[in-house]
Amino acid sequence: MNGMNPSWVTDEMRQAADNARRQGLQADLRALAARIRADAEGRYGSESPGWWAGVEWTLLYMENIAGALTEGRS
């Protein structure tokens, strides 16, 4: 018996654990993006538009990654 892959763990259990990890990471990324946005708006709200465009791009990138974590999965 392999201690790292017990025989009683079914494929469904592995899939459920994988989905839970992905959803947790997705939630963490979205929470981080929200904190970055709030911090940037509060601290750098009057900065140049070029700087803000970079923040927006970064937040969009994070959202795309978060969305891809559960895309096509049930």
Side-chain angles (χ1 to χ4, degrees):
M1 177 180 204
N2 182 349
M4 297 299 290
N5 192 9
S7 61
W8 57 269
V9 177
T10 65
D11 287 340
E12 291 81 16
M13 293 168 77
R14 286 185 188 92
Q15 184 64 36
D18 183 55
N19 285 342
R21 280 191 297 272
R22 289 173 180 274
Q23 288 174 351
L25 181 55
Q26 184 181 53
D28 290 347
L29 280 170
R30 288 185 170 146
L32 178 60
R35 290 180 67 190
I36 289 170
R37 178 182 300 278
D39 189 47
E41 287 174 347
R43 188 175 298 177
Y44 304 109
S46 63
E47 292 293 328
S48 69
W51 184 89
W52 187 250
V55 171
E56 287 293 326
W57 182 90
T58 301
L59 296 174
L60 179 61
Y61 184 76
M62 291 174 73
E63 177 56 36
N64 287 339
I65 291 171
L69 286 169
T70 56
E71 188 174 285
R73 297 179 185 273
S74 52

